[in-house]
Amino acid sequence: MPHPTALPLRFGRPAMALAIATGLAVAGCNSSDSPSDATPPTPPPTADARPNILYIMADDLGYSDIHAFGGEIDTPNLDALVADGRILTNHHTGTVSAITRAMLISGTDHHLVGEGTMGAPQDERKGLPGYEGYLNDSSLSVAQLLRDNGYHTYIAGKWHLGSSIAGDPASVGKTPDQWGFERSFALLGGAATNHFGHEAAGSKNYTEDGRYVQPGQTGQPGGVGGTPEVFYSTDFYTDKLIAYIDANRKDGKPFFAYAAYTSPHWPLQVPEPWLSQYKGRYDQGYEPIAAARYARLQALGLIPAGQAAASPSPETTTRSPATANDGKASAKYINALHPAADGYVDYGQGRVVKKWSSLTADEKKAQARYMEIYAGMVSNLDHNIGRLIQYLKDTGQYDNTFILFQSDNGAEGWPIDSGADPLATDTANAQPGRYELLGTDTNFGRYPGLSYGLRWAEVSATPFAQVKGQMGEGSISTPAIAKLPGQKKGLPPLTVFTHVTDNTATFLALAGVTPPAEAAPPLIDPKTGKDANRGKVIYNGRYVYPVTGKSLVGALQQATPALLRTTPFGEESYGRTAIYSADGRWKARFTEPPFGPLDGHWELFDLSTDRGETNDLSAQYPQLTSVLVQQWQGYMDSVGGVNPLRPKGFY
């Protein structure tokens, strides 16, 4: 992937950044855009006219969950952001949280910077470079680059890229304060056990500014004498981020603020009034909700008329068995490079997936409640995004702030009861005494970990195929909304392929920061003859991988921008793969059996007419498929990726 072309700005010379904001303000609005009965707030005096940057990330939000993307969930604040900004219909991420976040911070492929998988793998890749399971020392940090060039840098929410505080000898990566964040309140791992806190004394799940903290303990947020007295993650992260920004608001420096929300990631929990907001809304079940979303997506013009939506997974009321050698040393697993045609035959067992019509009354009751809670979490998230935006407006900072919202990956289809029949769990959750507690602040049993399962995740992914952890568009194409500084009038949806690494390049371009490009000196391993510094650059005396994303500034300004990429774009995680052709039209994808083709062939889709990935064209175009697979192998070589012998997701 070629190095991006950065805007020709330098720290201390913000003329172009100011021109971006001024030009958009002139072109996109006039004085009638402001309410005539309101006096606009006076912006604080500033010595640096470069824009602020507010980056908002949801966790496991599906493509069509929010209202602006066809969903039935009420999200008025995101709707308002669309009215001032622009929808990105073709924005892409990694398959899971840590992979996406590593690419965001570093601006390059996750295999290069330590998150080849989410966490360190336990297979033959264990210990290999790029598979450390945390952001490694070969990474740049967008926060560090911005801080070094005059920005305040803040994060509140999920980090998931390392958990060792400064001075800790444990080799499990670094907390955000060590990666350039001036102020930070961070959930270090991938998920909270309880969105309402209640951390044990001495726990090491959260840090603030590099010190372990325990929400819920005496004198801490959510604890006796703490502020707030009741901790709820989404509300609290918003409070923190506003406090961080406000503390330095009058010093004239711009900020980069990263709102790393953990909603609507399980456990499904939300306070009132959101807990009761959607009572009865989902009693009709999966299929009608998905159909209504698909119709609204087409009505909004986000999916071209005539493009088919992906079909839900086939119903399986019992788990398909694994092959006889599964788990044995003699197993020959089908993977991206070893199809059944080459004598590879093994794979693991399937999972139970039922249609709504096959559920018992108790199962339907529980399943509908799960989605009600999930929807409440999304509306609460939107409420908090509204709080952030209103704060910027109230303090005169909104017009000079770039805002980008997205999800970290597609909807989470974590199978209830690990893929076995969830009948017992759903039945128990439907009973009086337990049903009323679903979604509340409770620690009964293991049910604070409540999730909504594969079928609702497929609804959230509408109109796309597959869910989090796989390579279908339902996993790696997420809702995204951008508002440029000074923009006050919405533009048509941006339909070109964009990627989370482009976010990094965009932030730097808006800030006038040229990414480091001086080549690192060769470092030859005498045993292998390989150059350990291949492709690296020098920054602050470290040898690091450069930003490879593309700035979106120009594309966001143009009604019909050209393609950002002219070379194929590859991806891999857990042995699941994807490669996009240079023109973005074709996509080849591998999914291991039994979730993909049983013979292990790569599927081929024409995304220009089939973003739902409904029609496999690999048999019709075998030569094209072969070329794309070869290009994928070239991608893997370029990033040091190792295809695992056994493809297997994180669950």
Side-chain angles (χ1 to χ4, degrees):
M1 290 178 282
H3 189 276
T5 301
L7 286 176
L9 306 178
R10 293 293 187 270
F11 171 53
R13 302 187 62 180
M16 187 170 290
L18 179 60
I20 291 170
T22 304
L24 277 168
V26 171
C29 68
N30 55 45
S31 59
S32 65
D33 290 316
S34 299
S36 58
D37 58 349
T39 301
T42 302
T46 179
D48 190 332
R50 292 179 298 171
N52 305 310
I53 299 166
L54 173 61
Y55 180 58
I56 306 168
M57 183 177 278
D59 198 347
D60 292 359
L61 183 76
Y63 189 83
S64 62
D65 279 331
I66 64 175
H67 186 262
F69 277 74
E72 72 291 335
I73 301 174
D74 297 326
T75 51
N77 294 295
L78 287 171
D79 288 352
L81 187 62
V82 170
D84 282 357
R86 191 169 198 178
I87 281 176
L88 285 68
T89 65
N90 201 7
H91 194 58
H92 289 77
T93 66
T95 59
V96 290
S97 170
I99 286 175
T100 294
R101 292 161 202 267
M103 292 192 287
L104 166 74
I105 297 298
S106 68
T108 195
D109 189 89
H110 58 101
H111 295 89
L112 298 171
V113 295
E115 291 283 0
T117 59
M118 183 168 66
Q122 299 303 309
D123 56 21
E124 69 275 9
R125 297 167 296 172
K126 184 176 181 179
L128 295 180
Y131 291 92
E132 292 86 353
Y134 51 81
L135 199 64
N136 67 28
D137 287 339
S138 292
S139 175
L140 279 168
S141 166
V142 66
Q144 190 67 60
L145 284 165
L146 290 170
R147 187 175 183 180
D148 288 348
N149 285 276
Y151 269 68
H152 289 301
T153 54
Y154 314 122
I155 179 175
K158 179 171 165 179
W159 177 238
H160 207 188
L161 295 175
S163 56
S164 293
I165 63 174
D168 188 337
S171 298
V172 287
K174 301 173 183 177
T175 49
D177 55 292
Q178 300 170 78
W179 281 108
F181 284 97
E182 177 184 344
R183 298 298 312 277
S184 60
F185 190 100
L187 170 67
L188 299 178
T193 56
N194 191 326
H195 283 291
F196 291 94
H198 304 301
E199 286 292 303
S203 73
K204 297 182 178 181
N205 295 323
Y206 293 85
T207 59
E208 183 164 28
D209 299 335
R211 300 181 304 276
Y212 292 120
V213 292
Q214 299 82 30
Q217 286 296 310
T218 302
Q220 298 194 49
V224 177
T227 303
E229 184 178 351
V230 175
F231 176 99
Y232 180 69
S233 63
T234 313
D235 299 338
F236 182 78
Y237 297 148
T238 304
D239 292 341
K240 274 292 178 186
L241 207 57
I242 289 173
Y244 291 160
I245 296 169
D246 204 58
N248 295 314
R249 177 166 58 90
K250 297 181 180 180
D251 70 0
K253 292 175 62 174
F255 66 78
F256 169 66
Y258 177 14
Y261 291 114
T262 52
S263 182
H265 192 295
W266 56 261
L268 298 182
Q269 293 175 300
V270 70
E272 295 289 7
W274 297 278
L275 183 61
S276 300
Q277 182 173 347
Y278 293 94
K279 272 296 229 185
R281 182 78 66 93
Y282 298 101
D283 290 352
Q284 59 192 303
Y286 319 120
E287 295 87 353
I289 298 295
R293 289 186 177 198
Y294 176 59
R296 283 192 293 270
L297 280 161
Q298 290 198 311
L300 290 167
L302 302 183
I303 296 296
Q307 282 211 18
S311 299
S313 300
E315 181 172 52
T316 52
T317 55
T318 58
R319 299 187 79 170
S320 60
T323 55
N325 280 336
D326 179 45
K328 298 179 181 178
S330 58
K332 297 184 67 176
Y333 289 105
I334 292 173
N335 66 31
L337 299 176
H338 297 148
D342 292 344
Y344 293 84
V345 296
D346 291 306
Y347 50 84
Q349 66 183 143
R351 59 196 171 201
V352 172
V353 186
K354 294 183 283 191
K355 294 180 179 178
W356 189 260
S357 59
S358 298
L359 303 181
T360 66
D362 278 345
E363 285 180 289
K364 290 177 180 178
K365 179 181 177 181
Q367 284 282 318
R369 185 60 179 147
Y370 304 158
M371 188 61 194
E372 291 171 6
I373 301 165
Y374 177 91
M377 293 179 75
V378 175
S379 280
N380 171 268
L381 173 66
D382 178 81
H383 166 74
N384 278 282
I385 291 169
R387 290 178 58 208
L388 281 172
I389 291 173
Q390 190 60 50
Y391 164 77
L392 295 178
K393 291 179 177 179
D394 290 344
T395 54
Q397 300 179 86
Y398 179 74
D399 285 348
N400 195 38
T401 299
F402 175 71
I403 301 175
L404 179 59
F405 163 84
Q406 71 166 96
S407 180
D408 64 342
N409 45 247
E412 166 68 274
W414 190 287
I416 298 170
D417 288 341
S418 300
D421 191 342
L423 173 64
T425 296
D426 288 350
T427 302
N429 282 341
Q431 302 313 304
R434 187 181 292 276
Y435 178 83
E436 295 79 10
L437 294 176
L438 297 177
T440 66
D441 179 13
T442 176
N443 280 300
F444 69 91
R446 64 182 177 88
Y447 293 96
L450 189 71
S451 59
Y452 71 170
L454 177 62
R455 283 300 192 204
W456 283 123
E458 290 181 331
V459 173
S460 289
T462 303
F464 297 143
Q466 301 188 337
V467 296
K468 174 182 173 180
Q470 300 175 305
M471 283 294 172
E473 295 294 285
S475 170
I476 58 176
S477 188
T478 69
I481 304 166
K483 183 202 79 74
L484 284 163
Q487 185 176 358
K488 293 184 179 179
K489 183 177 180 180
L491 290 173
L494 182 66
T495 60
V496 297
F497 180 101
T498 58
H499 190 259
V500 67
T501 54
D502 301 337
N503 302 354
T504 318
T506 303
F507 301 155
L508 296 175
L510 286 164
V513 177
T514 302
E518 181 184 352
L523 181 62
I524 306 301
D525 184 325
K527 294 182 179 179
T528 65
K530 293 183 178 179
D531 181 6
N533 279 349
R534 184 185 71 163
K536 291 184 179 180
V537 297
I538 302 173
Y539 186 71
N540 284 351
R542 294 193 301 122
Y543 303 142
V544 295
Y545 289 105
V547 173
T548 51
K550 311 289 186 181
S551 170
L552 300 178
V553 173
L556 289 170
Q557 291 174 315
Q558 300 166 22
T560 54
L563 294 175
L564 292 171
R565 290 173 171 80
T566 56
T567 56
F569 191 91
E571 178 59 293
E572 178 275 337
S573 62
Y574 302 104
R576 297 160 178 176
T577 69
I579 182 80
Y580 296 83
S581 62
D583 61 2
R585 175 181 174 181
W586 298 97
K587 176 183 177 182
R589 183 187 84 190
F590 170 82
T591 308
E592 83 281 7
F595 311 113
L598 292 181
D599 65 358
H601 77 266
W602 285 62
E603 298 168 282
L604 177 70
F605 303 102
D606 182 351
L607 299 182
S608 68
T609 59
D610 184 26
R611 278 199 72 198
E613 297 170 287
T614 63
N615 185 21
D616 176 14
L617 299 173
S618 58
Q620 185 174 344
Y621 299 106
Q623 182 63 29
L624 173 58
T625 305
S626 178
V627 168
L628 287 170
V629 173
Q630 291 173 20
Q631 290 173 343
W632 174 80
Q633 290 177 283
Y635 151 75
M636 288 288 279
D637 177 68
S638 71
V639 298
V642 177
N643 191 57
L645 296 177
R646 181 185 184 180
K648 186 179 181 181
F650 63 102
Y651 55 71

